[in-house]
Amino acid sequence: MKKTILFSAFLAVFGISSAQNTAHIPQLGKDKIDDVIAAMTLEEKVYLLMGLGENNWLNPPTGEKTVIIAGEAGLTWAIPRLGITPSVLTDGPAGLRIESHPEGLNFTRYCTAFPTATALASTWNPEMVETVGKAMGNEVLEYGSDVLLAPAINIHRNPLCGRNFEYYSEDPFVVGKLASAMVRGLQSNGVGTSLKHFVANNIETNRNSINEVISQRALREIYLRGFEMVVKEAQPWTVMSSYNRVNGFYTSENYDLLTTILRDEWKFKGMVMSDWWGGKDAVAQMKAGNDLLMPGCTQREELLTALKNKIIDIKVIDRNLKRILTFILKTPRFKGYAYSNKPDLKAHALVSHNAATEGMVLLKNDKNTLPFNNVKRVALFGKTSYRFIAGGTGSGEVNYESASTINESFESNGYKVAKPLEAIYKQFIDTITQKAKPENRKFVVDFHAELPLSKEQIDSQVKNADIGIITIGRNAGEGSDRSVADFSLTDTEKQLIREVSEAFHAANKKVVVVLNIGGVIATSDWRDYPDAILLAWQTGQEGANAIVDILKGKVNPSGKLPMSFPMSYSDVPSAKTFPGEPADNPINAVYNEGIYVGYRYYETFKIPTAYEFGYGLSYTQFEYSNIRLSSKEFNNELTIMVTVKNTGKKEGKETVELYLHAPNTEIEKPVQELKGFAKTKLLKPGESQELSFTLDARSLASFWTNVSSWVAEKGHYEVRIGASSKDIRLTAGFTLPQTMVVEKVHDVLYPNRPVTDLTPSTK
Ligand code: BGC
């Protein structure tokens, strides 16, 4: 009796009449989605438009706490009477982020820490990235999640952005090709992705309010382009709108962005969710096409009132619900997938290891210092030689079981590690770890200043080691940006590099610097001291093993830079405007460098860089020859073939880059832009491979703001085939006889404040 009264009260809360109760109740998956939506009460509709809230997941109307997988980032609401299952959304870009041993679980649930996105981008190898995506997605599936909140693909506009390690590149073509591969790999498991953060989340300072003022051309060519490529090439299940405002509007409240561009122009078929607490006005978000509000809960009243007062049309809500339900229908949880909690972590560690070695970039290698020659004993300097930084902080973190450190990896590879030096660093690490609050222990070493060593401490290492290795580490994460001081090396670090180099060189021994970093740092004021520099990035749990593989020559490095390393921070085109104005608490950030981001700027304005975009050394040499074009005149498509031969003594892989120099009589353009790249297989000494590249009409086009169109200008185009953006090895030309409007798009997203883009003629 009591139960019946309670049940009737429950039905009353939802406005469900007993007549409805006896009729057929539509079920998701069995009946039409429109019928399921029609059977929902207003409250059910509103609840389904948002997640269950943060930390203390509240399951309306009972208020009971719901956690499906401890550590999940969010849940969507379930409506069992309509057959609607919940879905689990989990971070993030370097692997699945869930709790490994939550209370009540009698087994551990570790995930694989894969190399961060910047390191993956440095592989320039879509196949490799797709393999990583497959392995990552298998953990998403087997641990019972439905969506990985990844990949994150914002442009590296400025080296200080705190989230650059989660992002791929300064170039939208690299982003587009590699993140498409990631989405394909992840989604091949039948789980979803969330392409984030749409769009221009290039600044973490005041990320929930900052207004980015960006010209339509820079938006189209630089900031939207990577998203456009991934949406068109890989159809991610979901897109996550960003926190920031662009040209006056929160991205999650902007119809032109989420509907006109994303859906009408690019034909996106999935669901859009907000970033966690992103945006301010739930009604505007609904209208814009931000279907799902995450983590949700708090906007229920606002939307119910808006609906009851007809501030928002129910048709808008139903449209968004349809997208949410279409998404739920695809999820493993809806399909009843019985997950194992036992992904093959050993196999995934191997995938992570291979990607880590391929993502490392050899920046300097004087007199063939590397690979090691007669090295048996190593002296390891720098705190991160003993505590490898596998990845960044925040939602991009992964709870992995263990990551070897560089000293351990050397030992397991049979090297002798200088023990007195190890003892000094271990004691330093123990002391700072003990002193830190328990909640800060995980990252205290990464963020702590380097240990200063005396000259005697350094000198005494030389006789017991065949080589000196210095690791420099940096970490960062969402919510704040890095400082110029963090970009620069500290005096202690520079002194360490100088004094170790001097001491070892005096004994005719070599020195290698290993960079265990997530974003670009200064190199020009210390790089002359060591003999070799290996940019190891934050390469996941296997990163330290991968470093040893490369140093000893088991693997020939083949990574190349997906961004430029400037000579100094002040050379960065956005240095004066980052993070925004006023500098201490920015409200607006004016992107007045326009399209001149990264190499587009350095090369067009002839600003020297320390290491240019696309740069990376190998232990062998490659010869490029025999450039062939399918035609001398462009007609819809053009194919370019080149031959690459390994002319050195070691087997290796080579990434070949295709830049296009376009005519610029009508509008100004960067002196060249990347329009293709291809990586060889592992070539044996003497072996050759043909690589082919295809240019379509969009590859020739720039965005002409005055006509809101992608236009390819008539004239002579030069194809430049290079080993980096500066090291161009082959060129060939073709013509476009008539100017072509390749695609007309909507005249939307104009700046709400003046922005005068930099151009070569206004410099
Ligand atoms: C981040 C997102 C992340 C979300 C859920 C936000 O703070 O910006 O990238 O997916 O949290 O954890």
Side-chain angles (χ1 to χ4, degrees):
M1 181 66 186
K2 207 173 159 203
K3 265 191 186 159
T4 323
I5 295 172
L6 268 179
F7 187 59
S8 311
F10 172 84
L11 294 179
V13 169
F14 287 93
I16 301 164
S17 69
S18 43
Q20 263 176 302
N21 201 23
T22 51
H24 168 70
I25 301 176
Q27 297 294 303
L28 186 65
K30 296 202 178 90
D31 296 289
K32 284 193 190 135
I33 293 188
D34 289 336
D35 294 342
V36 176
I37 295 173
M40 286 181 185
T41 66
L42 270 194
E43 283 78 1
E44 283 175 331
K45 287 186 174 183
V46 167
Y47 289 176
L48 191 59
L49 288 170
M50 58 192 76
L52 264 63
E54 200 166 42
N55 298 328
N56 189 15
W57 310 111
L58 292 177
N59 199 6
T62 60
E64 91 206 23
K65 193 174 162 177
T66 305
V67 173
I68 297 184
I69 305 174
E72 68 212 352
L75 291 177
T76 63
W77 196 47
I79 311 178
R81 73 175 194 94
L82 300 173
I84 301 174
T85 48
S87 39
V88 177
L89 316 177
T90 39
D91 284 307
L96 182 64
R97 177 170 181 255
I98 54 174
E99 282 180 30
S100 317
H101 23 72
E103 250 180 75
L105 202 71
N106 59 6
F107 58 93
T108 51
R109 221 173 30 186
Y110 290 112
C111 299
T112 307
F114 292 93
T116 53
T118 302
L120 290 179
S122 304
T123 67
W124 295 67
N125 185 343
E127 259 172 57
M128 173 72 81
V129 175
E130 189 165 337
T131 307
V132 169
K134 264 189 199 148
M136 225 186 247
N138 176 263
E139 294 185 17
V140 177
L141 181 73
E142 292 305 338
Y143 280 133
S145 175
D146 296 295
V147 171
L148 191 74
L149 302 170
I153 63 163
N154 295 101
I155 290 290
H156 290 190
R157 170 179 176 248
N158 184 293
L160 303 188
C161 172
R163 289 190 98 161
N164 277 355
F165 71 97
E166 292 186 65
Y167 301 150
Y168 285 72
S169 170
E170 71 185 20
D171 178 81
F173 187 82
V174 172
V175 170
K177 285 293 168 201
L178 295 176
S180 292
M182 175 55 84
V183 170
R184 279 196 301 273
L186 282 162
Q187 292 190 171
S188 68
N189 291 279
V191 298
T193 53
S194 195
L195 190 66
K196 67 188 188 182
H197 310 91
F198 191 52
V199 65
N201 187 176
N202 319 97
I203 303 167
E204 285 298 292
T205 309
N206 288 353
R207 65 178 179 174
N208 288 91
S209 59
I210 195 147
N211 176 39
E212 288 160 18
V213 186
I214 314 177
S215 71
Q216 288 169 297
R217 180 172 180 197
L219 272 169
R220 292 283 183 172
E221 291 190 14
I222 307 292
Y223 299 100
L224 289 166
R225 183 73 184 123
F227 285 95
E228 178 181 6
M229 286 177 72
V230 181
V231 165
K232 289 180 174 171
E233 287 182 25
Q235 274 292 338
W237 287 13
T238 82
V239 163
M240 187 191 291
S241 55
S242 59
Y243 283 130
N244 52 289
R245 290 182 287 153
V246 171
N247 294 339
F249 296 98
Y250 280 105
T251 57
S252 60
E253 299 175 9
N254 193 333
Y255 183 89
D256 287 337
L257 179 69
L258 300 187
T259 300
T260 310
I261 292 183
L262 181 63
R263 295 181 189 279
D264 298 347
E265 290 181 9
W266 300 350
K267 312 289 175 230
F268 175 62
K269 300 276 180 289
M271 171 184 88
V272 175
M273 69 175 83
S274 69
D275 198 348
W276 271 229
W277 311 118
K280 294 269 182 286
D281 178 345
V283 171
Q285 290 175 309
M286 286 299 121
K287 289 183 179 167
N290 194 115
D291 310 303
L292 179 72
L293 303 178
M294 290 307 295
C297 251
T298 48
Q299 304 95 329
R300 281 182 196 145
E301 278 313 308
E302 185 186 343
L303 281 184
L304 267 178
T305 311
L307 269 169
K308 284 177 184 156
N309 294 338
K310 306 215 175 341
I311 291 169
I312 188 167
D313 192 333
I314 192 72
K315 284 198 195 120
V316 170
I317 299 294
D318 290 352
R319 174 199 70 184
N320 296 3
L321 286 169
K322 193 165 181 175
R323 294 179 190 143
I324 296 173
L325 290 175
T326 308
F327 150 75
I328 291 175
L329 269 173
K330 295 196 278 195
T331 58
R333 183 154 276 93
F334 178 82
K335 292 180 177 162
Y337 183 75
Y339 54 95
S340 65
N341 275 319
K342 284 192 191 122
D344 188 347
L345 295 179
K346 269 207 178 129
H348 296 172
L350 192 63
V351 172
S352 185
H353 190 147
N354 289 341
T357 36
E358 188 141 341
M360 292 185 182
V361 186
L362 184 63
L363 295 179
K364 176 175 180 178
N365 193 19
D366 278 3
K367 296 193 188 129
N368 297 329
T369 299
L370 296 174
F372 286 168
N373 182 13
N374 278 329
V375 170
K376 297 196 173 57
R377 304 165 306 159
V378 293
L380 301 175
F381 298 87
K383 61 190 161 97
T384 38
S385 291
Y386 303 89
R387 199 275 178 214
F388 186 72
I389 306 176
T393 68
S395 58
E397 223 188 285
V398 180
N399 295 317
Y400 51 93
E401 185 169 11
S402 65
S404 357
T405 54
I406 297 177
N407 59 321
E408 288 164 356
S409 296
F410 269 116
E411 277 184 341
S412 59
N413 275 278
Y415 292 86
K416 270 192 126 181
V417 172
K419 286 294 164 187
L421 186 60
E422 180 177 279
I424 295 173
Y425 280 104
K426 280 195 167 168
Q427 196 195 5
F428 170 67
I429 288 171
D430 284 351
T431 312
I432 54 181
T433 310
Q434 292 312 320
K435 275 195 198 148
K437 290 190 186 138
E439 64 272 23
N440 296 336
R441 290 205 175 130
K442 199 166 172 190
F443 293 110
V444 65
V445 178
D446 309 2
F447 290 100
H448 198 283
E450 187 53 88
L451 171 71
L453 293 186
S454 67
K455 200 162 174 333
E456 293 65 45
Q457 279 174 315
I458 293 172
D459 289 346
S460 59
Q461 305 307 322
V462 179
K463 60 179 184 310
N464 297 321
D466 304 318
I467 198 161
I469 296 171
I470 308 161
T471 310
I472 299 293
R474 286 287 182 281
N475 211 346
E478 68 178 283
S480 58
D481 290 308
R482 297 165 59 210
S483 61
V484 179
D486 192 74
F487 173 87
S488 314
L489 262 57
T490 62
D491 289 344
T492 307
E493 289 170 325
K494 281 191 275 195
Q495 190 175 345
L496 184 71
I497 295 176
R498 196 182 64 240
E499 290 185 351
V500 170
S501 301
E502 282 166 1
F504 277 76
H505 290 166
N508 234 344
K509 292 178 181 178
K510 302 272 176 74
V511 171
V512 181
V513 170
V514 172
L515 300 177
N516 180 198
I517 56 180
V520 172
I521 60 165
T523 52
S524 58
D525 54 350
W526 57 266
R527 64 176 170 167
D528 289 345
Y529 293 111
D531 305 279
I533 306 173
L534 178 67
L535 172 53
W537 293 125
Q538 295 171 344
T539 13
Q541 63 185 51
E542 297 296 322
N545 295 326
I547 289 172
V548 177
D549 283 351
I550 288 190
L551 296 185
K552 72 175 194 179
K554 183 175 172 206
V555 178
N556 188 347
S558 67
K560 291 192 174 179
L561 294 177
M563 80 294 282
S564 319
F565 271 56
M567 289 297 279
S568 78
Y569 177 71
S570 57
D571 286 343
V572 174
S574 54
K576 289 200 185 77
T577 55
F578 189 91
E581 51 194 51
D584 56 340
N585 192 16
I587 298 167
N588 292 295
V590 183
Y591 284 32
N592 55 19
E593 73 283 357
I595 57 167
Y596 294 100
V597 174
Y599 72 89
R600 286 173 169 76
Y601 171 73
Y602 299 116
E603 275 157 32
T604 309
F605 291 81
K606 300 194 169 54
I607 308 291
T609 49
Y611 299 106
E612 73 270 13
F613 177 80
Y615 171 88
L617 300 174
S618 165
Y619 296 153
T620 188
Q621 292 82 42
F622 297 96
E623 183 188 271
Y624 296 20
S625 64
N626 202 13
I627 182 165
R628 284 147 289 158
L629 268 53
S630 57
S631 165
K632 282 276 163 205
E633 207 170 89
F634 185 85
N635 180 16
N636 286 327
E637 212 175 84
L638 194 102
T639 309
I640 297 112
M641 304 279 293
V642 296
T643 308
V644 180
K645 183 175 182 190
N646 182 350
T647 53
K649 294 197 175 64
K650 297 202 160 59
E651 59 179 21
K653 297 181 188 175
E654 171 76 336
T655 293
V656 176
E657 301 156 33
L658 185 154
Y659 296 88
L660 194 63
H661 168 78
N664 60 353
T665 30
E666 295 293 332
I667 63 167
E668 285 175 322
K669 291 175 194 153
V671 66
Q672 61 181 23
E673 292 180 279
L674 184 82
K675 298 294 177 181
F677 61 86
K679 193 160 188 170
T680 66
K681 60 181 186 185
L682 192 66
L683 292 178
K684 296 205 166 55
E687 200 181 354
S688 304
Q689 188 180 346
E690 304 283 307
L691 295 177
S692 93
F693 307 82
T694 307
L695 295 177
D696 59 9
R698 258 305 272 281
S699 322
L700 274 55
S702 301
F703 188 74
W704 290 24
T705 311
N706 56 343
V707 287
S708 288
S709 300
W710 291 93
V711 180
E713 201 176 319
K714 70 174 180 200
H716 179 77
Y717 287 74
E718 187 177 74
V719 175
R720 300 174 175 176
I721 300 291
S724 79
S725 56
K726 278 218 167 74
D727 185 4
I728 302 297
R729 306 276 182 88
L730 303 168
T731 57
F734 65 87
T735 54
L736 179 68
Q738 287 306 326
T739 294
M740 258 171 83
V741 176
V742 179
E743 197 179 334
K744 171 120 188 87
V745 296
H746 297 84
D747 182 16
V748 290
L749 302 185
Y750 15 85
N752 67 326
R753 289 167 65 90
V755 50
T756 314
D757 280 4
L758 179 70
T759 73
S761 54
T762 57
K763 197 201 165 189

